[in-house]
Amino acid sequence: MSDTENTTSTLIVKDQPTTSPASTITLATQKKRKGRGLLPSRSPKFIVGAILVLAIVLFAIIAPIFSQNPRSTDNPALQPPSAEHWLGTTKLGNDMFAQLAIGAQGSLLVGLVAGGIAIVLSLVFGVLAGYLGGWREDGLALITNVMIVIPGLPLVMVIASFVPQRSWQLVAFVLGITSWAGAAYVLRLQTRSLRTRDYVYAAKVAGERSFRVILVEIMPNLLPLLTAQFLFAIIFAILGEAGLSYLGLGPNSSITWGTILNDAQSGQALGRGAWWWFVPPGVMIAILGAGLALINFAIDEVINPKLRNAPDAARRVRKAAKTKGVTA
């Protein structure tokens, strides 16, 4: 081969475009798409759940303004829904729409207060125990394990049965102190993993106090998990209060969706055919629980990428199977 041919071959090889720019662009696009997938607001589950929860909250705020006194007995008893009474009346003549609106406030307050108490206790017995380690972690973990073993709802029933006058604050407090152990266990394991990260070691070497390390370095990484646990605690509290009230162990000085169901049961609403007495509160509880659950599922997809990528993986499998069948 002549020198001219060798030179030409060398120039051709040098002039060939490299694939590094395309690879860089591809990686950047993948990272951008991956970052967008981390946003729960783009999830249909989150959008539908947020709409349902927001509708319930707006109903609890606005509806009592336009309704009559929920304890008024001046109305005819057991009237079906009409233009005057949109959801009918109860056995005592109480307007059901007014009771449903005030009951929404009571149930939401029970859920928020109980969820707040549960998440605070979870932080103390979960995050603090996971970060401190040693004998302090063992002591806090022992209390957590004991609370996990004790059944929550029967304990709440026993406590409520010994208190003759029960307000919604007391019921929320009892539900909160009996529903934190499971979340604390999960948070403790996650915090034990985070405390070994390099940025946590760097903060400790820099002389940062433990409180600031937990607040600045560890807590931001636990926010999705904390939000999911908080929503689960709210769902548990609302359903727990409804169950206690149905059994006659709920608040007896406040109106909630659970107390409405208890009144309907004691007033034999089903036997009287007064469906408007027990169906609306049951539907409201179901809608609120579904909305919070959908938001919780969307947050779970942020925490666990496998759940977020599962639909795409299933579509790829179906597409591959379909392509294989056509080729065959």
Side-chain angles (χ1 to χ4, degrees):
M1 183 180 294
S2 63
D3 295 338
T4 304
E5 293 178 350
N6 291 333
T7 303
T8 304
S9 301
T10 304
L11 291 174
I12 292 174
V13 172
K14 289 183 178 181
D15 290 339
Q16 289 181 350
T18 59
T19 58
S20 56
S23 301
T24 304
I25 295 174
T26 303
L27 291 175
T29 305
Q30 290 177 353
K31 289 181 179 179
K32 186 176 181 181
R33 291 177 179 175
K34 183 178 180 181
R36 289 181 178 178
L38 292 175
L39 297 175
S41 59
R42 297 182 64 87
S43 172
K45 297 177 184 177
F46 181 83
I47 295 174
V48 174
I51 291 174
L52 293 178
V53 174
L54 182 61
I56 296 292
V57 172
L58 291 177
F59 174 77
I61 296 174
I62 299 176
I65 301 176
F66 302 98
S67 60
Q68 60 177 257
N69 183 2
R71 299 186 184 275
S72 175
T73 58
D74 297 334
N75 306 306
L78 291 178
Q79 292 295 308
S82 61
E84 185 178 359
H85 303 285
W86 293 351
L87 294 178
T89 60
T90 66
K91 180 181 178 181
L92 299 177
N94 306 126
D95 184 75
M96 264 303 301
F97 181 80
Q99 289 218 333
L100 195 69
I102 297 297
Q105 293 182 352
S107 295
L108 288 175
L109 288 174
V110 170
L112 290 174
V113 173
I117 294 173
I119 205 65
V120 169
L121 293 175
S122 300
L123 288 173
V124 173
F125 289 90
V127 177
L128 192 62
Y131 177 78
L132 295 177
W135 64 269
R136 291 170 293 187
E137 179 184 1
D138 295 337
L140 294 174
L142 177 62
I143 300 175
T144 303
N145 294 333
V146 171
M147 291 301 298
I148 290 177
V149 174
I150 297 177
L153 190 58
L155 179 61
V156 173
M157 295 172 61
V158 171
I159 295 175
S161 63
F162 281 98
V163 182
Q165 296 297 326
R166 297 178 298 274
S167 62
W168 70 264
Q169 293 92 338
L170 177 62
V171 174
F173 176 76
V174 173
L175 290 170
I177 63 175
T178 56
S179 61
W180 58 268
Y185 180 79
V186 175
L187 291 173
R188 178 164 60 87
L189 296 181
Q190 188 66 21
T191 305
R192 289 177 62 183
S193 174
L194 292 174
R195 75 182 183 187
T196 60
R197 305 295 174 87
D198 293 337
Y199 56 86
V200 176
Y201 278 129
K204 291 180 180 179
V205 172
E208 299 289 349
R209 296 182 178 181
S210 298
F211 176 77
R212 190 179 186 281
V213 174
I214 295 175
L215 190 63
V216 176
E217 305 295 343
I218 294 180
M219 288 295 293
N221 295 283
L222 294 176
L223 281 180
L225 187 58
L226 285 172
T227 305
Q229 297 294 344
F230 178 63
L231 293 177
F232 178 78
I234 293 176
I235 296 174
F236 175 82
I238 292 176
L239 295 179
E241 184 275 328
L244 288 174
S245 297
Y246 185 78
L247 296 175
L249 299 175
N252 47 21
S253 60
S254 304
I255 298 176
T256 65
W257 290 334
T259 58
I260 296 175
L261 291 175
N262 177 257
D263 293 339
Q265 187 270 337
S266 60
Q268 299 180 352
L270 182 61
R272 296 171 181 266
W275 58 267
W276 57 87
W277 196 353
F278 59 87
V279 170
V283 171
M284 295 293 279
I285 293 174
I287 292 175
L288 181 60
L292 292 173
L294 288 173
I295 297 175
N296 205 352
F297 293 157
I299 296 175
D300 285 341
E301 292 179 355
V302 176
I303 300 173
N304 189 354
K306 293 182 179 180
L307 296 177
R308 185 172 63 251
N309 299 328
D312 294 335
R315 283 193 293 267
R316 287 195 296 268
V317 171
R318 289 195 298 267
K319 184 177 179 180
K322 183 178 180 180
T323 304
K324 184 177 179 181
V326 171
T327 305

